[in-house]
Amino acid sequence: MTIVEKILNRINRPDLLQVLSDELTPSELNSLLLEVFNRQTGRLTPAELLQHYQKNRFVKPADTDFLALRELETKLLQLFETFQFKPIELSPVAPLGSCSVVATADQQKILSALRGTEVLADATNALALHVSDLKKSGQWKPVFATDQLRFSTIQRHVRTPKVAIAGHTQHFKIGCLVSSGRDTGSFQFERESLAEHLAVVTAVLRDALRMDTLRFKLIQRSDDGRLLEQVKDHLLQLRPDLVIETETTPDRENRYYKGLQYKVLVTVRGQDYEIGDGGFVDWTQQLLQNKKERFLITGLGVELLFRLVS
Amino acid sequence: MNKGRVIYEDEAEPHFRLAYPSPALTVFIEYYFEVHQPATLSNPLYLNGLPNLSNLLCISLNPQKWLSINQKTGAIKTVHGSRLLGNLTDLHTSIYPGGVHEFYVKFKPAMLGNLFHFSNLEVENLNADLSSFTRLDELQDHLQTVPSFGERVRLMESVLLPKIQRVTIDHRQKIVQAALQKFEKPAINRTHLGLICRELGVSYPSLHRYFNETLGYSPKYCQKLLRFKHGLRLYKQHGSRCPFEEVGYTDFSHFLKDARQLTQRSPSEL
């Protein structure tokens, strides 16, 4: 029996869940829950509030040097902007379902909130929504078929699964890059956008932060290996200075990325770290209902990076 | 590994143009040059600036932003537009993701300071917006519209000439410039500072004082910078077997040691 079923049995309201989720509109449910929370907080004393703060693993501050981390963030955003990835500051909340509706993400791992929102769990999903909105509303129109929209951000993400690794926290900063374009044939978008993301990551890690051990691993995420081959050939020809590894038969299945995933690896003080991750996703295809849409995302662990370079 | 490269004046570069000043300006200006090289976001252009004594006026002919990284301190600066580039004590790498099209005036050491009234030390490793020093908005716009490098040189000369004619150069500066010239073009076995002092008719303490007052650095340090520039050019042309003694090094190891000390890199990485 699940926790929810146990609760419903205890209060003898076995159909409550169905009523709340199926019979009420989102707006009605929101009003109802707001009233519930209003009553609950009305009963709460300051002493209890402090107890909640002490027990709740989501609400504690980060244990980083705030100003030094900010300095690094500013540096990174400046670099992103120089490479024409326009930095934007996102809202700390995104529409409910931002991650789970378009990606293989479990809503249970996301802090769902009221008023049809969830706490930001993946900024690249929020950027996909922003890009799709710009395109759908006509606020951005490409001049040429190959034109791309590029955005970057650094956001604090909150995810609910309890962290098992020492040093990891429930909330953490991720630097994100996204490129949005259209399929123009011959994997042109894929080749060019991935080379651009790798160029930015190289400028950040190798050139600005002097991580000479930087290397990239391209991982095939489809049965057809043509995308990996074409992208790899393009990168090797364009950037012989980059260290690129490939994996055509990955150990673990991953349905999050479509066609190609890539990892950013560095070795610091003899230990290997996966400092970044990215790949092609079909989120804008789903949001805009257009199979020609292409979207590349990259996430860099800014807080981990900060710990490694400080 | 791509860590940038140094461009030399005599390189047959398709994207590099150079012109020397007219006789009236030779005391102040070393030369004019223009770098016009395309690049893409996925394959940006990397250029290295060695430690040097020169101050540069950089007129941007391309609105793209670029990055300047001080390789010693790790300081990163995102820059765009016309700049005043101070003399460098550290290796700087510039990364141009959108390509570069810039027109430069390379002033002889300390001479730009004479014009704008600053000392060399004040602009050490500086990469500042040119508008903080002088109002050249119209000139910049004009330079951006003229079609050729030659016309840009003529235009710049017509602007600089009246300004420079009002500046006087004192005895100390003349001696320093003469010494630097000897450092620039060293004759074989004539690189010892004692010999150079004798040729210039000054004592070493006087030369030391003149250098400190004019440039903020000792003659020995300045000689080291210029010697390294020549050494690196020789290395790039001939590799490690070239006659480093001709530019004042004891041997290749001596040159290697200077490379590490001045740039924290081996010559092959420059």
Side-chain angles (χ1 to χ4, degrees):
Chain A
M1 192 182 285
T2 65
I3 295 172
V4 174
E5 285 167 345
K6 276 184 195 169
I7 296 167
L8 294 175
N9 280 345
R10 189 175 64 78
I11 61 172
N12 201 20
R13 298 279 194 284
D15 62 339
L16 182 62
L17 193 62
Q18 196 192 340
V19 172
L20 293 177
S21 57
D22 300 343
E23 292 181 24
L24 297 183
T25 64
S27 167
E28 286 168 338
L29 177 66
N30 188 57
S31 302
L32 197 70
L33 289 174
L34 278 174
E35 183 55 28
V36 170
F37 288 127
N38 203 19
R39 289 182 185 198
Q40 281 198 338
T41 50
R43 288 198 300 270
L44 207 60
T45 65
E48 285 170 330
L49 178 66
L50 178 59
Q51 276 179 3
H52 289 182
Y53 174 77
Q54 288 171 322
K55 282 182 199 163
N56 196 322
R57 67 182 192 274
F58 297 107
V59 297
K60 300 285 167 56
D63 65 342
T64 48
D65 180 337
F66 186 44
L67 286 178
L69 178 59
R70 263 295 155 87
E71 270 180 40
L72 175 67
E73 286 175 35
T74 307
K75 245 186 216 182
L76 297 185
L77 288 170
Q78 284 175 338
L79 272 152
F80 295 162
E81 194 191 24
T82 308
F83 277 81
Q84 295 174 24
F85 284 80
K86 188 183 174 189
I88 54 171
E89 184 162 14
L90 296 168
S91 164
V93 291
L96 189 67
S98 290
C99 302
S100 64
V101 172
V102 291
T104 55
D106 189 342
Q107 191 64 34
Q108 301 270 21
K109 293 181 178 173
I110 291 153
L111 203 57
S112 302
L114 288 181
R115 298 186 193 275
T117 64
E118 64 188 32
V119 178
L120 197 77
D122 192 334
T124 55
N125 284 101
L127 289 170
L129 284 163
H130 180 60
V131 162
S132 301
D133 177 44
L134 291 177
K135 287 187 169 181
K136 186 151 190 173
S137 64
Q139 291 176 69
W140 182 80
K141 281 181 185 155
V143 179
F144 301 104
T146 52
D147 281 356
Q148 290 183 29
L149 262 175
R150 301 179 191 87
F151 287 107
S152 63
T153 190
I154 295 177
Q155 291 282 148
R156 187 161 285 282
H157 292 58
V158 181
R159 290 184 192 160
T160 60
K162 212 167 182 176
V163 291
I165 301 169
H168 285 204
T169 52
Q170 297 299 147
H171 53 84
F172 44 88
K173 286 245 167 117
I174 299 276
C176 304
L177 301 172
V178 300
S179 297
S180 168
R182 299 286 290 267
D183 175 31
T184 52
S186 311
F187 299 117
Q188 190 182 2
F189 171 82
E190 286 84 348
R191 285 186 285 129
E192 286 177 5
S193 60
L194 186 64
E196 287 176 8
H197 282 227
L198 264 54
V200 182
V201 174
T202 302
V204 169
L205 298 180
R206 187 193 70 185
D207 304 322
L209 300 175
R210 303 178 201 178
M211 293 180 142
D212 284 343
T213 55
L214 172 69
R215 58 207 184 274
F216 299 99
K217 186 194 269 186
L218 307 182
I219 306 167
Q220 187 176 318
R221 291 297 177 199
S222 69
D223 297 333
D224 185 354
R226 281 183 307 154
L227 172 60
L228 178 78
E229 275 305 309
Q230 294 226 15
V231 166
K232 187 187 78 178
D233 290 348
H234 179 68
L235 289 171
L236 290 176
Q237 190 186 13
L238 192 70
R239 296 296 299 265
D241 57 314
L242 303 186
V243 180
I244 294 169
E245 304 162 7
T246 55
E247 198 173 294
T248 50
T249 50
D251 305 336
R252 281 188 296 176
E253 198 188 345
N254 179 320
R255 283 185 290 165
Y256 190 85
Y257 292 108
K258 308 294 173 195
L260 185 76
Q261 179 188 8
Y262 86 96
K263 287 190 180 292
V264 184
L265 307 162
V266 288
T267 306
V268 179
R269 295 180 280 275
Q271 189 166 342
D272 291 340
Y273 293 92
E274 207 179 281
I275 196 79
D277 177 49
F280 297 99
V281 289
D282 62 357
W283 306 340
T284 50
Q285 283 182 25
Q286 296 182 55
L287 293 165
L288 293 166
Q289 296 289 295
N290 188 332
K291 287 276 180 196
K292 288 279 182 191
E293 284 294 331
R294 295 290 181 269
F295 201 59
L296 173 65
I297 61 168
T298 291
L300 270 181
V302 173
E303 230 161 289
L304 174 60
L305 187 61
F306 175 72
R307 289 175 208 276
L308 293 179
V309 296
S310 46
Chain B
M1 182 177 281
N2 184 0
K3 286 192 172 179
R5 64 192 185 89
V6 177
I7 296 183
Y8 278 95
E9 297 90 332
D10 56 355
E11 277 186 46
E13 272 276 336
H15 309 297
F16 185 79
R17 305 287 304 276
L18 186 139
Y20 290 97
S22 55
L25 291 168
T26 48
V27 179
F28 276 80
I29 294 166
E30 201 98 52
Y31 50 77
Y32 307 94
F33 67 100
E34 191 166 300
V35 185
H36 187 190
Q37 191 155 349
T40 59
L41 298 184
S42 52
N43 194 16
L45 174 70
Y46 284 69
L47 293 178
N48 282 330
L50 294 176
N52 62 55
L53 298 168
S54 304
N55 301 139
L56 300 169
L57 279 187
C58 161
I59 308 293
S60 171
L61 305 172
N62 173 347
Q64 295 285 351
K65 288 186 176 182
W66 50 280
L67 293 167
S68 172
I69 303 175
N70 181 324
Q71 294 290 350
K72 190 173 183 183
T73 64
I76 304 164
K77 201 168 173 145
T78 306
V79 287
H80 74 284
S82 297
R83 324 289 305 161
L84 189 148
L85 305 175
N87 47 295
L88 302 179
T89 56
D90 308 324
L91 177 73
H92 279 65
T93 300
S94 299
I95 306 176
Y96 300 91
V100 57
H101 192 188
E102 282 163 352
F103 175 83
Y104 290 87
V105 186
K106 183 178 177 182
F107 281 80
K108 290 196 169 168
M111 289 305 176
L112 187 58
N114 272 353
L115 202 60
F116 289 160
H117 310 292
F118 58 73
S119 75
N120 245 32
L121 290 179
E122 284 176 87
V123 294
E124 193 177 85
N125 296 315
L126 186 81
N127 183 334
D129 198 323
L130 189 56
S131 61
S132 315
F133 292 84
T134 181
R135 291 191 62 80
L136 285 174
D137 299 350
E138 278 181 28
L139 174 66
Q140 181 182 301
D141 292 346
H142 205 160
L143 283 167
Q144 284 169 346
T145 51
V146 294
S148 70
F149 172 63
E151 283 181 60
R152 277 190 272 281
V153 171
R154 276 191 289 280
L155 183 61
M156 186 53 98
E157 291 221 317
S158 70
V159 171
L160 289 176
L161 198 58
K163 290 180 191 288
I164 281 173
Q165 278 170 342
R166 291 198 291 268
V167 180
T168 49
I169 301 169
D170 67 21
H171 168 71
R172 296 166 310 162
Q173 289 172 327
K174 284 179 185 164
I175 295 280
V176 167
Q177 293 301 336
L180 288 172
Q181 214 163 9
K182 289 189 180 294
F183 297 166
E184 277 278 358
K185 290 174 184 149
I188 299 167
N189 300 326
R190 306 288 288 174
T191 56
H192 194 272
L193 276 172
L195 278 174
I196 290 171
C197 285
R198 209 172 304 157
E199 286 172 12
L200 293 170
V202 286
S203 66
Y204 182 72
S206 295
L207 188 72
H208 195 278
R209 186 158 49 84
Y210 293 167
F211 263 78
N212 265 326
E213 287 168 357
T214 308
L215 298 172
Y217 308 112
S218 70
K220 206 169 177 181
Y221 173 74
C222 296
Q223 190 185 32
K224 188 177 183 174
L225 290 186
L226 295 171
R227 180 178 64 184
F228 179 66
K229 185 182 157 193
H230 291 297
L232 185 65
R233 179 159 35 187
L234 275 181
Y235 173 81
K236 281 184 177 286
Q237 286 167 348
H238 310 291
S240 58
R241 291 185 180 180
C242 66
F244 284 99
E245 309 79 45
E246 284 183 13
V247 287
Y249 287 106
T250 319
D251 52 19
F252 178 63
S253 305
H254 186 193
F255 165 68
L256 212 59
K257 192 177 153 202
D258 265 13
R260 287 269 176 218
Q261 202 176 43
L262 291 171
T263 70
Q264 292 77 49
R265 286 190 187 176
S266 66
S268 61
E269 293 175 316
L270 291 167

